[in-house]
PDB file of all heavy atoms in Angstrom:
ATOM      1  N   THR A 211      -1.863  41.391 -53.397  1.00 98.00           N
ATOM      2  CA  THR A 211      -0.592  40.976 -54.012  1.00 98.00           C
ATOM      3  C   THR A 211      -0.258  39.562 -53.566  1.00 98.00           C
ATOM      4  O   THR A 211       0.107  38.693 -54.373  1.00 98.00           O
ATOM      5  CB  THR A 211       0.543  41.937 -53.591  1.00 98.00           C
ATOM      6  OG1 THR A 211       0.254  43.226 -54.117  1.00 98.00           O
ATOM      7  CG2 THR A 211       1.902  41.478 -54.100  1.00 98.00           C
ATOM      8  N   ARG A 212      -0.384  39.326 -52.270  1.00 98.00           N
ATOM      9  CA  ARG A 212      -0.063  37.979 -51.744  1.00 98.00           C
ATOM     10  C   ARG A 212      -0.982  36.922 -52.351  1.00 98.00           C
ATOM     11  O   ARG A 212      -0.543  35.845 -52.741  1.00 98.00           O
ATOM     12  CB  ARG A 212      -0.212  37.980 -50.219  1.00 98.00           C
ATOM     13  CG  ARG A 212       0.871  38.795 -49.532  1.00 98.00           C
ATOM     14  CD  ARG A 212       0.654  38.794 -48.038  1.00 98.00           C
ATOM     15  NE  ARG A 212       1.722  39.506 -47.355  1.00 98.00           N
ATOM     16  CZ  ARG A 212       1.557  40.217 -46.253  1.00 98.00           C
ATOM     17  NH1 ARG A 212       0.366  40.323 -45.687  1.00 98.00           N
ATOM     18  NH2 ARG A 212       2.578  40.817 -45.691  1.00 98.00           N
ATOM     19  N   LYS A 213      -2.277  37.236 -52.428  1.00 98.00           N
ATOM     20  CA  LYS A 213      -3.230  36.234 -52.952  1.00 98.00           C
ATOM     21  C   LYS A 213      -2.964  35.951 -54.432  1.00 98.00           C
ATOM     22  O   LYS A 213      -2.934  34.797 -54.856  1.00 98.00           O
ATOM     23  CB  LYS A 213      -4.673  36.725 -52.739  1.00 98.00           C
ATOM     24  CG  LYS A 213      -5.720  35.763 -53.284  1.00 98.00           C
ATOM     25  CD  LYS A 213      -7.125  36.061 -52.791  1.00 98.00           C
ATOM     26  CE  LYS A 213      -8.143  35.143 -53.475  1.00 98.00           C
ATOM     27  NZ  LYS A 213      -9.505  35.320 -52.982  1.00 98.00           N
ATOM     28  N   ILE A 214      -2.755  37.005 -55.222  1.00 98.00           N
ATOM     29  CA  ILE A 214      -2.610  36.797 -56.678  1.00 98.00           C
ATOM     30  C   ILE A 214      -1.302  36.075 -56.990  1.00 98.00           C
ATOM     31  O   ILE A 214      -1.251  35.195 -57.842  1.00 98.00           O
ATOM     32  CB  ILE A 214      -2.703  38.138 -57.444  1.00 98.00           C
ATOM     33  CG1 ILE A 214      -4.112  38.715 -57.269  1.00 98.00           C
ATOM     34  CG2 ILE A 214      -2.376  37.966 -58.921  1.00 98.00           C
ATOM     35  CD1 ILE A 214      -4.246  40.168 -57.682  1.00 98.00           C
ATOM     36  N   LEU A 215      -0.230  36.440 -56.285  1.00 98.00           N
ATOM     37  CA  LEU A 215       1.055  35.770 -56.546  1.00 98.00           C
ATOM     38  C   LEU A 215       1.135  34.416 -55.834  1.00 98.00           C
ATOM     39  O   LEU A 215       2.099  33.676 -56.022  1.00 98.00           O
ATOM     40  CB  LEU A 215       2.225  36.661 -56.117  1.00 98.00           C
ATOM     41  CG  LEU A 215       2.426  37.962 -56.915  1.00 98.00           C
ATOM     42  CD1 LEU A 215       3.620  38.743 -56.379  1.00 98.00           C
ATOM     43  CD2 LEU A 215       2.606  37.688 -58.411  1.00 98.00           C
ATOM     44  N   GLY A 216       0.144  34.123 -55.003  1.00 97.00           N
ATOM     45  CA  GLY A 216       0.136  32.844 -54.281  1.00 97.00           C
ATOM     46  C   GLY A 216       1.260  32.751 -53.265  1.00 97.00           C
ATOM     47  O   GLY A 216       1.818  31.670 -53.041  1.00 97.00           O
ATOM     48  N   LYS A 217       1.636  33.901 -52.648  1.00 97.00           N
ATOM     49  CA  LYS A 217       2.719  33.911 -51.661  1.00 97.00           C
ATOM     50  C   LYS A 217       2.191  34.593 -50.398  1.00 97.00           C
ATOM     51  O   LYS A 217       2.311  35.805 -50.238  1.00 97.00           O
ATOM     52  CB  LYS A 217       3.915  34.713 -52.202  1.00 97.00           C
ATOM     53  CG  LYS A 217       4.530  34.099 -53.455  1.00 97.00           C
ATOM     54  CD  LYS A 217       5.621  34.973 -54.010  1.00 97.00           C
ATOM     55  CE  LYS A 217       6.952  34.658 -53.346  1.00 97.00           C
ATOM     56  NZ  LYS A 217       8.103  34.903 -54.225  1.00 97.00           N
ATOM     57  N   GLU A 218       1.581  33.785 -49.512  1.00 95.00           N
ATOM     58  CA  GLU A 218       0.878  34.423 -48.398  1.00 95.00           C
ATOM     59  C   GLU A 218       1.788  35.093 -47.383  1.00 95.00           C
ATOM     60  O   GLU A 218       1.334  35.936 -46.608  1.00 95.00           O
ATOM     61  CB  GLU A 218      -0.094  33.445 -47.726  1.00 95.00           C
ATOM     62  CG  GLU A 218       0.560  32.227 -47.113  1.00 95.00           C
ATOM     63  CD  GLU A 218      -0.478  31.290 -46.506  1.00 95.00           C
ATOM     64  OE1 GLU A 218      -0.804  31.480 -45.335  1.00 95.00           O
ATOM     65  OE2 GLU A 218      -0.942  30.376 -47.230  1.00 95.00           O
ATOM     66  N   ASN A 219       3.078  34.743 -47.402  1.00 96.00           N
ATOM     67  CA  ASN A 219       3.982  35.386 -46.436  1.00 96.00           C
ATOM     68  C   ASN A 219       4.894  36.433 -47.066  1.00 96.00           C
ATOM     69  O   ASN A 219       5.856  36.878 -46.441  1.00 96.00           O
ATOM     70  CB  ASN A 219       4.843  34.327 -45.737  1.00 96.00           C
ATOM     71  CG  ASN A 219       3.966  33.396 -44.930  1.00 96.00           C
ATOM     72  OD1 ASN A 219       3.040  33.854 -44.258  1.00 96.00           O
ATOM     73  ND2 ASN A 219       4.223  32.091 -45.024  1.00 96.00           N
ATOM     74  N   LEU A 220       4.600  36.817 -48.312  1.00 98.00           N
ATOM     75  CA  LEU A 220       5.459  37.803 -48.980  1.00 98.00           C
ATOM     76  C   LEU A 220       5.499  39.106 -48.185  1.00 98.00           C
ATOM     77  O   LEU A 220       4.481  39.588 -47.695  1.00 98.00           O
ATOM     78  CB  LEU A 220       4.900  38.084 -50.392  1.00 98.00           C
ATOM     79  CG  LEU A 220       5.728  39.050 -51.239  1.00 98.00           C
ATOM     80  CD1 LEU A 220       7.084  38.446 -51.579  1.00 98.00           C
ATOM     81  CD2 LEU A 220       4.987  39.403 -52.535  1.00 98.00           C
ATOM     82  N   LYS A 221       6.724  39.650 -48.055  1.00 98.00           N
ATOM     83  CA  LYS A 221       6.858  40.943 -47.359  1.00 98.00           C
ATOM     84  C   LYS A 221       6.448  42.049 -48.324  1.00 98.00           C
ATOM     85  O   LYS A 221       7.079  42.232 -49.374  1.00 98.00           O
ATOM     86  CB  LYS A 221       8.304  41.150 -46.915  1.00 98.00           C
ATOM     87  CG  LYS A 221       8.703  40.205 -45.808  1.00 98.00           C
ATOM     88  CD  LYS A 221      10.110  40.467 -45.372  1.00 98.00           C
ATOM     89  CE  LYS A 221      10.443  39.512 -44.244  1.00 98.00           C
ATOM     90  NZ  LYS A 221      11.831  39.599 -43.831  1.00 98.00           N
ATOM     91  N   VAL A 222       5.387  42.762 -47.986  1.00 98.00           N
ATOM     92  CA  VAL A 222       4.880  43.859 -48.834  1.00 98.00           C
ATOM     93  C   VAL A 222       4.450  44.992 -47.932  1.00 98.00           C
ATOM     94  O   VAL A 222       3.840  44.762 -46.884  1.00 98.00           O
ATOM     95  CB  VAL A 222       3.601  43.458 -49.625  1.00 98.00           C
ATOM     96  CG1 VAL A 222       3.343  44.458 -50.748  1.00 98.00           C
ATOM     97  CG2 VAL A 222       3.666  42.062 -50.174  1.00 98.00           C
ATOM     98  N   THR A 223       4.750  46.206 -48.342  1.00 98.00           N
ATOM     99  CA  THR A 223       4.194  47.355 -47.644  1.00 98.00           C
ATOM    100  C   THR A 223       3.768  48.386 -48.681  1.00 98.00           C
ATOM    101  O   THR A 223       4.184  48.315 -49.848  1.00 98.00           O
ATOM    102  CB  THR A 223       5.188  47.929 -46.612  1.00 98.00           C
ATOM    103  OG1 THR A 223       4.500  48.925 -45.823  1.00 98.00           O
ATOM    104  CG2 THR A 223       6.397  48.566 -47.251  1.00 98.00           C
ATOM    105  N   ALA A 224       2.894  49.317 -48.274  1.00 98.00           N
ATOM    106  CA  ALA A 224       2.356  50.278 -49.243  1.00 98.00           C
ATOM    107  C   ALA A 224       1.999  51.590 -48.565  1.00 98.00           C
ATOM    108  O   ALA A 224       1.576  51.602 -47.408  1.00 98.00           O
ATOM    109  CB  ALA A 224       1.106  49.692 -49.898  1.00 98.00           C
TER     110      ALA A 224
END
Side-chain angles (χ1 to χ4, degrees):
T211 296
R212 290 178 177 146
K213 179 166 175 176
I214 295 166
L215 294 180
K217 297 175 87 150
E218 62 182 271
N219 296 318
L220 183 66
K221 291 182 179 175
V222 195
T223 189

